[in-house]
Amino acid sequence: MKKGIKKKCVLMMAMACMASMKSWAQYDGPVIFPTTELYDSGAMNAYVRALAETASRRKENYEFFADKAFEAFHDRQWWDVVSYVGHALDTKYYDGELYYIRGYAYEELGMLNAAKKDYRKGVRYGSRYAAEALAELKEKMKRK
């Protein structure tokens, strides 16, 4: 084992021991790590149910903000488009068309670099229009 790697391993082990001792002192007792009892007590089932519920809520939030973004796009409310698309993408559901409309909004607002970035992401996520918009934007930027 290389000397530098060995030092790092020893340092990490020392930090783990110190953290464990600090936890022990803080709670006046040993640190209790998860055991199979946690899984047998039904806590794991509750965790899985909560995770599934969170995922369905995320999907609902995505659909709500995506609909709002498309409405704002049709109403030419560019700042609202940027905001709603950001909220929709925060749910971790990605859609190339959302990146495209936010890119278009950025372009309308004069934020060409941000538009270019979103058009590229739109192409990556399968937008039908982002590739053409990206090519047109590149030409527009060359002329300036």
Side-chain angles (χ1 to χ4, degrees):
M1 185 182 286
K2 291 185 178 181
K3 192 174 186 177
I5 295 174
K6 197 174 194 179
K7 278 185 178 181
K8 287 180 183 176
C9 288
V10 170
L11 181 62
M12 292 299 289
M13 287 172 34
M15 289 173 58
C17 288
M18 288 185 332
S20 176
M21 286 188 270
K22 186 175 182 179
S23 301
W24 183 299
Q26 185 177 5
Y27 298 108
D28 295 328
V31 178
I32 300 172
F33 294 103
T35 62
T36 55
E37 293 166 8
L38 169 71
Y39 304 111
D40 294 340
S41 69
M44 192 60 168
N45 289 333
Y47 173 75
V48 169
R49 281 193 306 272
L51 197 59
E53 185 178 314
T54 301
S56 69
R57 220 174 309 126
R58 278 185 26 235
K59 182 70 172 172
E60 289 171 13
N61 287 342
Y62 165 78
E63 291 170 352
F64 173 78
F65 286 117
D67 289 344
K68 289 286 192 181
F70 283 109
E71 286 174 21
F73 180 78
H74 290 292
D75 293 340
R76 305 178 64 83
Q77 301 295 318
W78 306 126
W79 286 112
D80 289 343
V81 171
V82 170
S83 176
Y84 288 134
V85 169
H87 289 305
L89 295 174
D90 283 345
T91 64
K92 306 299 182 212
Y93 287 95
Y94 302 113
D95 179 8
E97 298 307 317
L98 286 177
Y99 281 111
Y100 164 73
I101 67 170
R102 187 170 70 178
Y104 189 91
Y106 278 139
E107 189 173 355
E108 290 294 313
L109 293 167
M111 303 169 71
L112 301 183
N113 288 329
K116 188 175 177 182
K117 184 178 174 183
D118 271 1
Y119 286 153
R120 282 188 179 139
K121 286 183 181 179
V123 170
R124 186 179 325 138
Y125 288 107
S127 170
R128 298 175 297 197
Y129 307 109
E132 185 179 322
L134 180 60
E136 290 174 9
L137 180 61
K138 285 180 179 180
E139 283 298 315
K140 182 178 179 179
M141 292 174 84
K142 279 183 187 177
R143 284 183 258 142
K144 283 189 173 189

